[in-house]
Amino acid sequence: MKLRPFAPITMVVAPIALLAACQNGEDAGEAGDDMNAASEAALGDNLATDPDMAGTSEANAALSGTGNQNVPKIDTSPRAIEAARTRAAELVGGSANMDAAPTPRRLSEDAADTAAMVKAARAMQSANGGNCFEAVSYSASWAAKLPAEFPVYPRGNTVEAAGTDERSCALRAVTFRTGVPKNDVLAFYVTRANDAGYSVEHVVKGGDNVLSATKGNSAMVVYARDLPGEVTEIDLVTSKR
């Protein structure tokens, strides 16, 4: 299973890239098969290539990719983008309630992580300071187990998903793609974080826009980037305890 690396962050060592590095080629193939099986089980053989899937359940709609990079072509039509934006606005109580992402602080690629980034990274550890990423398993179903505050963006197509509840962890890591512009997706997660009482920081580092949101021992981190063809790719990592 080939996974696109997350942006590096102190103490969260490239989450999905780290997971991939722990697998050999044979394991990768098995992981991809497990992702497909999980998707089919969760969605009753409907892998959510139908955009109307988003109207049924945000959790189930998250399982919109096959989990082994065979992601359906992202619909970047105005109609699809508007439908996703409309649903996102509904999830925050209306477009008037959507907060713009704060102006990002630009960091060089070799700059030290900010205090907010380090705090979010620490929240991704287990209660006793262990590495939760060592305990993850791959399954598309983890996309449906994200905290209610931070679902996959409406009509987003899941590429990879992993997570664990072992070792006192509550880790979720999901990569998804959407035709909605990056700034709109960032605004959605900023609003969801603000509404849930999280403190939010926005930086640009290593070519990615990075949102770090923390509240107590819980955290949400978003890495956002533009892909060719007017597609936005998001790495969403959460830990809620």
Side-chain angles (χ1 to χ4, degrees):
M1 179 192 248
K2 184 178 180 182
L3 301 172
R4 188 207 184 284
F6 278 23
I9 180 173
T10 301
M11 301 169 65
V12 176
V13 189
I16 282 185
L18 175 63
L19 307 185
C22 295
Q23 300 185 37
N24 58 30
E26 180 179 355
D27 291 339
E30 293 174 355
D33 292 341
D34 290 344
M35 292 281 284
N36 289 335
S39 293
E40 292 174 8
L43 301 177
D45 296 333
N46 181 347
L47 296 181
T49 55
D50 181 353
D52 290 336
M53 185 79 180
T56 59
S57 161
E58 295 309 316
N60 283 347
L63 304 180
S64 50
T66 61
N68 62 357
Q69 300 294 334
N70 296 322
V71 182
K73 186 179 186 304
I74 305 303
D75 190 347
T76 59
S77 67
R79 176 180 176 275
I81 291 172
E82 184 57 31
R85 281 173 169 158
T86 298
R87 179 57 181 151
E90 291 173 353
L91 291 175
V92 300
S95 58
N97 295 324
M98 190 73 76
D99 300 327
T103 301
R105 176 183 172 189
R106 295 190 175 274
L107 304 176
S108 63
E109 192 163 357
D110 59 352
D113 293 328
T114 67
M117 295 168 77
V118 172
K119 184 177 180 180
R122 286 177 175 158
M124 301 293 177
Q125 297 177 324
S126 67
N128 61 4
N131 186 346
C132 291
F133 292 101
E134 294 177 347
V136 302
S137 62
Y138 287 93
S139 172
S141 63
W142 285 110
K145 297 176 182 179
L146 286 161
E149 307 95 293
F150 305 120
V152 169
Y153 191 88
R155 300 186 178 224
N157 290 84
T158 298
V159 178
E160 304 288 356
T164 184
D165 288 320
E166 298 179 4
R167 305 183 187 179
S168 300
C169 299
L171 185 68
R172 311 288 186 261
V174 179
T175 295
F176 68 89
R177 295 174 185 167
T178 175
V180 176
K182 179 174 61 180
N183 286 342
D184 290 334
V185 180
L186 292 172
F188 173 74
Y189 286 108
V190 167
T191 304
R192 297 289 288 190
N194 287 340
D195 289 349
Y198 284 67
S199 298
V200 183
E201 177 191 75
H202 184 196
V203 304
V204 173
K205 185 176 183 182
D208 284 355
N209 288 71
V210 184
L211 294 179
S212 300
T214 58
K215 182 175 75 170
N217 293 324
S218 297
M220 181 275 297
V221 180
V222 168
Y223 302 95
R225 66 196 66 88
D226 295 318
L227 297 184
E230 299 183 330
V231 171
T232 298
E233 183 172 74
I234 301 291
D235 297 325
L236 172 62
V237 189
T238 68
S239 179
K240 183 178 180 181
R241 290 197 299 269

